[in-house]
Amino acid sequence: MKNPITIQELEALLEDSNTQAEALNNYFEYLPTGPFTGEYRLKSHVQVIEAGAAGTEGVTEGAPLINIVEKLLNKANSLARRDRDRLFDQRRGEADRIVIVTEGDSWFQYPRLKRLGITISKEVKDVVDYLIEDSRYAVKSLGGAGDVIRNIFHLSEYIEAIEEHQPQAFILSGGGNDFFEVFPSMVRKGSADDIQSFLKTTWLTEIKVIKTYYEGILEVLTKNFPSLQVVLHGYDYIMPRTDGKWIGKPMITTGGLKLDKDRKALIRTIMDRFNQSLEDLSAPYENVHFINLRGTVPQDERFWHDEIHPNDHGFRLVADKFITKLDEILVPASPRPTA
């Protein structure tokens, strides 16, 4: 491991598939920054020098380096998406592939990578990973961990992707980070006889706000792409844990929810309302389909990677629901002409 290292040298290591794994392992660490998100940052002991700097002059430690090497961090945080783009570019020209565009949060793009020998692999296989594995699809993935529905609406990256790639389906995952990033501030003391009493009334307002952004997205999609099949979901009952920074701990320390059954009951209340709002919203549209994932992944630690994300097996169960829905609504692609 070279330390100090120039910005240009580190960028080259991340660009080269033969050295990406070693570079990520040696120079970066992954830090959770929210319930559905995290990012790679330079390790604190790493020193980066600008090209041509001599000795220690021009050396900057990890934390102050963020602005200087922002594009390096972007590379580290986008390796999985780059791999997906590469696969999509290879597959979209195959006549027997159905083109799908996906947009969303870490249920569609789990960001964290792990080292396996000399390679880097996704630590968790998310929904889109399983869709990509299906030989029937060519998947253009726009997802990013930590995506919030308000940014998806305002940035509208999906519109350009739909116009360019003309998919049969658009699949959206969002709202979880919007809600649970502010969840700790919603929790209060309550009574187990009235599970909603553990939440301030603002929790209902937050769900209404999320629904409003979905309304805006569906208005754009159904007006501009009337034949496009749109698929939404509202998450399963997630897994509050006693050591969970974003959900479990606030329930215990702020709300006084000492019993696991009560914490799970509160999650069920939240997710039922969240799901119902999106199901009601999608119902009037002929080409908008809501997938009810509730009860798909058991609220059992054997199926969960952390309190927000299922593990590989759990996400497989979720992905199967999406594949079943796609089988129902999509027309098979035309077979490739034979010579």
Side-chain angles (χ1 to χ4, degrees):
M1 173 181 173
K2 184 176 182 180
N3 189 25
I5 186 171
T6 69
I7 296 172
Q8 292 76 12
E9 289 171 330
L10 187 48
E11 184 175 16
L13 291 175
L14 289 172
E15 288 283 2
D16 188 339
S17 60
N18 295 315
T19 57
Q20 283 175 355
E22 186 175 4
L24 279 173
N25 184 70
N26 289 337
Y27 295 100
F28 294 87
E29 60 184 346
Y30 181 87
L31 299 174
T33 56
F36 280 72
T37 186
E39 64 184 13
Y40 286 89
R41 295 179 182 173
L42 286 167
K43 292 180 177 178
S44 59
H45 69 278
V46 171
Q47 295 179 311
V48 174
I49 59 175
E50 298 180 43
T56 59
E57 184 179 356
V59 173
T60 312
E61 298 288 343
L65 189 65
I66 297 299
N67 293 332
I68 300 175
V69 293
E70 182 178 356
K71 66 178 180 178
L72 292 182
L73 299 176
N74 288 340
K75 288 182 187 299
N77 285 305
S78 65
L79 288 179
R81 179 161 170 176
R82 290 168 58 195
D83 286 343
R84 289 177 171 184
D85 284 344
R86 176 180 53 80
L87 288 173
F88 176 73
D89 288 340
Q90 293 173 358
R91 295 170 176 175
R92 62 178 172 173
E94 300 175 14
D96 56 347
R97 296 265 188 177
I98 297 173
V99 176
I100 297 171
V101 172
T102 65
E103 172 67 286
D105 51 28
S106 55
W107 272 49
F108 278 20
Q109 174 62 293
Y110 186 82
R112 188 167 179 172
L113 307 176
K114 65 179 178 180
R115 189 176 184 183
L116 298 172
I118 59 172
T119 64
I120 284 287
S121 173
K122 291 285 291 295
E123 187 169 21
V124 172
K125 291 176 67 175
D126 55 54
V127 172
V128 173
D129 288 322
Y130 285 112
L131 292 180
I132 289 173
E133 286 184 355
D134 193 305
S135 61
R136 292 171 295 176
Y137 308 132
V139 181
K140 176 62 177 178
S141 171
L142 306 177
D147 253 0
V148 290
I149 200 67
R150 59 184 180 271
N151 285 348
I152 292 172
F153 171 77
H154 288 300
L155 296 177
S156 300
E157 184 181 8
Y158 62 91
I159 295 177
E160 292 182 8
I162 293 170
E163 290 175 340
E164 179 180 358
H165 302 299
Q166 297 295 303
Q168 284 197 35
F170 172 68
I171 311 177
L172 176 60
S173 176
N177 207 56
D178 301 71
F179 187 88
F180 285 104
E181 71 182 3
V182 295
F183 174 74
S185 66
M186 297 180 187
V187 179
R188 65 182 179 184
K189 297 288 185 182
S191 169
D193 295 330
D194 178 11
I195 203 67
Q196 288 192 40
S197 66
F198 288 95
L199 295 171
K200 300 173 185 176
T201 55
T202 52
W203 79 281
L204 294 171
T205 302
E206 188 62 38
I207 289 178
K208 289 180 180 178
V209 170
I210 293 168
K211 182 179 179 181
T212 298
Y213 281 114
Y214 267 97
E215 287 176 333
I217 291 171
L218 292 185
E219 182 179 355
V220 170
L221 289 172
T222 55
K223 178 179 179 180
N224 294 283
F225 312 102
S227 63
L228 179 68
Q229 302 295 325
V230 179
V231 180
L232 313 178
H233 76 96
Y235 307 98
D236 201 350
Y237 300 122
I238 57 179
M239 182 71 190
R241 291 182 170 179
T242 55
D243 61 348
K245 177 180 179 182
W246 306 105
I247 300 174
K249 282 187 176 180
M251 285 184 174
I252 296 169
T253 59
T254 303
L257 283 155
K258 304 299 184 183
L259 298 180
D260 179 65
K261 68 179 183 66
D262 290 337
R263 295 191 292 271
K264 288 179 177 177
L266 184 57
I267 286 297
R268 294 177 73 87
T269 296
I270 294 168
M271 301 317 294
D272 283 344
R273 181 61 68 95
F274 186 92
N275 274 266
Q276 194 61 55
S277 70
L278 295 187
E279 186 171 10
D280 292 345
L281 177 62
S282 62
Y285 297 99
E286 180 180 358
N287 289 343
V288 178
H289 312 274
F290 175 80
I291 299 179
N292 180 12
L293 296 175
R294 286 170 290 177
T296 302
V297 184
Q299 277 186 306
D300 183 314
E301 290 191 0
R302 292 174 297 176
F303 294 87
W304 291 85
H305 176 69
D306 54 35
E307 60 179 355
I308 298 290
H309 305 91
N311 57 23
D312 288 3
H313 182 44
F315 266 131
R316 172 78 267 182
L317 299 174
V318 172
D320 285 344
K321 290 282 186 75
F322 280 89
I323 291 171
T324 297
K325 177 57 68 176
L326 292 173
D327 286 344
E328 293 175 3
I329 64 176
L330 296 185
V331 178
S334 303
R336 179 181 292 278
T338 56

